[in-house]
Amino acid sequence: MIEAEFRHSISSYATTSEADRIWHEIETAYNDKGRHYHNLFHLNHLLSELIPYQSHFQHWDTVVLAIAYHDVI
């Protein structure tokens, strides 16, 4: 879910190949073996909690990118 939303959101700012590279960096970081909470499951959960309120956000793309990057390091 987060990957599809991320790719859609970033498509206004990056080419497909850039989006592929960027998503790979995010996916690699959140799949690190040391992550027990801030992982892709967590990102999907955050997104699923906010989707019902999507229409309340003026800049949904910004929200999706913030979710993806909120604890990438």
Side-chain angles (χ1 to χ4, degrees):
M1 176 182 355
I2 185 68
E3 181 179 358
E5 281 289 326
F6 176 85
R7 288 180 180 278
H8 177 75
S9 294
I10 204 164
S11 67
S12 298
Y13 311 102
T15 66
T16 302
S17 64
E18 290 170 332
D20 289 343
R21 180 186 54 78
I22 295 166
W23 176 253
H24 178 71
E25 291 173 358
I26 292 169
E27 187 175 44
T28 299
Y30 282 102
N31 278 329
D32 185 80
K33 292 178 184 177
R35 292 196 178 242
H36 302 286
Y37 178 71
H38 285 106
N39 52 35
L40 291 177
F41 178 80
H42 173 64
L43 298 186
N44 282 313
H45 175 77
L46 288 174
L47 183 62
S48 70
E49 291 289 313
L50 289 174
I51 283 178
Y53 305 100
Q54 182 176 355
S55 65
H56 297 276
F57 292 98
Q58 187 173 9
H59 301 286
W60 179 248
D61 291 348
T62 303
V63 173
V64 172
L65 296 175
I67 290 169
Y69 280 103
H70 84 277
D71 195 31
V72 74
I73 296 176

